[in-house]
Amino acid sequence: MAEQFVGKASEFKDGERQIIRIGEAEIGVFRHAGEFYAYSNFCLHQGGPACEGLTIARVEERLRPDKTSMGLFFSEKDMNFVCPWHGYEYDMKTGAHISDPRLKLRKYDVVQKGDEVYVVA
Amino acid sequence: MSSPERAKSGAKPGLKPAPKAAKAKAAPAKAVAKSAPAPARAAKAAGGAGRTAPADKAAFLKAMAKGVAPNSAASRKLVEKKGSPFAPAPAAQAPRVEVLRRIPAPPVVVNTPESDAALQLAAAIERMLETGDMGKLQPHAQQALVASLCKLYAANQEAGERYAILGGRTLVAATDVMVVCGALLKAVDLQVFELGMWQSWSAG
């Protein structure tokens, strides 16, 4: 495992993604809320480009104190990304599938040294 | 003189002087290998004389004894030979990063005073829906709002400002959309068939 230079943080806008290939691995590198995340671009469902679909806030149901529903709302802090093939949805921070957290995309460490961003692969 | 005889004479040079021809042929044998016993040297010289020129063979053997000189043609041949133990080990290639795609960030939202006012109105309508006070926004106000939004969206599309009519963070049910679309078509006396015809003729 070696650190592979991906790009400069200053050229990587918040909300932007890059799909890169390191050797045989295809990796999606995300920048979300200032943090970098990198996951395998192969969906656990049928191998679709998991990191290339929509990025969408998690839908959560808000409840009143008596537990009656106020309806569904988009989360202010949790972001997901969705495989464009069949809609497998993964948590941006962990790479875990939303409905079955046992399923996790392979996560790659991202190291930031000054302005330079490296993926450990 | 037959070959065995020459070998014999070479084996015991001290007993009987060898003829000149034999001496001349035996001379390259000195270069063969000094450690080899004398009879073998003589036999090698005698046997090799029929197939290769003695001078060539001596040169070859000298070269072998010296070893393969680096950067010589012989050394290059050895390195190039498939499966050669002299071939350099393949260098471990460091994986290179290849950027396949860049997916840009969603466009940055710029708020204007008018946009802020519209957002406040939208939030107020959402609160009305939550609390069930749907009569607070009277029908004539709703009609004015829908009409102006229709015109604004269509004008932006005409001007090339293409964007989705519903944002990513909107939770509008499909039923709501069908109800509103049907009502809009009815308001301007259009049939679904006409909408389909228009869409098939244009990029709308």
Side-chain angles (χ1 to χ4, degrees), chain B residues 3 7 12 25 49 99 102 107 134-136 166 199 201:
Chain B
S3 293
K12 292 178 182 177
K25 284 187 177 175
V99 177
R102 282 178 187 274
M134 287 178 285
K136 273 191 176 174
L166 295 175
Q199 283 183 329
W201 288 340

Side-chain angles (χ1 to χ4, degrees), chain A residues 90-103:
Chain A
Y90 300 97
D91 181 31
M92 179 76 79
K93 287 179 184 163
T94 62
H97 186 254
I98 295 308
S99 27
D100 187 356
R102 289 173 302 173
L103 300 174

